[in-house]
């Protein structure tokens, strides 16, 4: 019986003026609350340490390097790793990564319950555009400030569970889930920062945005018989609204926990990872049922 209480640490807005230290203090408060509820695996949002800076255009991209971390853990985040070790909580969180050789990624790391980093993922599906777009009401310049991830989709056996990571826009692409599903994933963590107002189509509204977010994660969970935990950074950052809607989805695609606010909010659910086995050995027994000779091969249109 592999049961674990999993937590989603939704975070409210982070203003441009907010320091890393103040943000980490909020993350530690959520971790302490999670400990009180028996959580041993905690999921934080995408770009959890800073405001969602890709909404801003900078002519000189190097101006945005202030939002990036050059090492992890570092001075600002070490207290979070120390607390996790003390409380015995594994966690994932997203941050902007600047590598020693000058590459920029939208990154997420995974730790074990002793605070050791056991996995790293760099966001592969970057939405938006790379040059200022005057036709948009809101800029979404992830393609300007990040390179597509170069590590692929991987899983790690962590605390007895096969875990994988994705980030935000990745959750809208079925390939994300299937690449992890083919590796036997049982828990997919997905932090996100999703603007509630579309910068292209007329405002399809928050309701449909939340629907598409749930739809994507519920389908991915069901079709790969895995838990999926989607965790928002939410609320209004310097006048720009990000939707909430953090959820925990079970291997049948059912939502078993959902945030109700747009602030720092902990959601939890008891996850029994042996429940992933049924789907993987029946309806979604990939070896028995998939017919890859009929599927699109890499490189073909
Ligand atoms: N944000 C958004 C996301 O995929 C977006 C971008 C919003 C795409 C709405 C399509 C529709 O949730 C990030 N950071 O990827």
């Amino acid at each position: 019986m592999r049961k674990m209480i999993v937590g989603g640490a939704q975070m409210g807005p982070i203003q441009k003026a907010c320091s890393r230290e103040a943000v980490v203090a909020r993350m530690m408060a959520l971790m302490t609350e999670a400990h009180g509820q028996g959580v041993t695996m905690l999921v934080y949002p995408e770009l959890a340490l800073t405001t969602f800076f890709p909404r801003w255009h900078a002519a000189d991209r190097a101006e945005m390097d202030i939002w990036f971390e050059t090492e992890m853990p570092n001075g600002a985040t070490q207290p979070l790793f120390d607390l996790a070790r003390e409380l015995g909580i594994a966690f994932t969180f997203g941050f902007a990564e600047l590598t020693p050789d000058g590459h920029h990624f939208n990154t997420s790391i995974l730790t074990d319950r002793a605070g050791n980093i056991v996995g790293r993922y760099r966001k592969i599906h970057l939405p938006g555009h790379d040059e200022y777009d005057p036709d948009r009401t809101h800029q979404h310049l992830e393609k300007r400030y990040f390179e597509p991830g170069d590590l692929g989709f991987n899983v790690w056996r962590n605390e007895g569970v096969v875990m994988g990571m994705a980030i935000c826009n990745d959750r809208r692409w079925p390939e994300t889930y299937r690449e992890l599903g083919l590796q036997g994933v049982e828990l997919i963590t997905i932090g996100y920062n999703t603007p509630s107002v579309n910068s292209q189509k007329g405002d399809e509204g928050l309701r449909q945005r939340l629907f598409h977010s749930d739809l994507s994660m519920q389908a991915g969970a069901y079709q790969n018989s895995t838990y999926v935990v989607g965790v928002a950074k939410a609320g209004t950052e310097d006048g720009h609204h990000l939707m909430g809607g953090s959820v925990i989805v079970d291997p049948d695609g059912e939502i078993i926990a959902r945030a109700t606010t747009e602030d720092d909010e902990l959601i939890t659910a008891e996850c029994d990872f042996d429940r992933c086995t049924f789907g993987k050995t029946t309806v979604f027994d990939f070896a028995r049922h998939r017919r890859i000779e009929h599927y699109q091969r890499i490189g073909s249109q």
Side-chain angles (χ1 to χ4, degrees), residues 2 26 44 48 73 80 92 111 118 160 202 204 206 225 228 257 277 289 299:
R2 293 178 299 142
R26 287 165 54 187
Y44 289 104
L80 180 67
T92 68
T111 79
V118 298
E204 84 254 40
L206 195 50
S225 194
V228 174
T277 306
H289 299 311

Side-chain angles (χ1 to χ4, degrees), residues 46 52 123 127 140 142 168-169 171-172 192-195 204 209:
E46 169 190 31
F52 186 67
K123 184 175 183 180
H140 196 114
E142 291 192 57
C168 202
N169 196 255
R171 76 187 187 284
R172 300 179 191 281
Y192 62 86
N193 287 209
T194 300
E204 84 254 40
R209 283 248 150 146

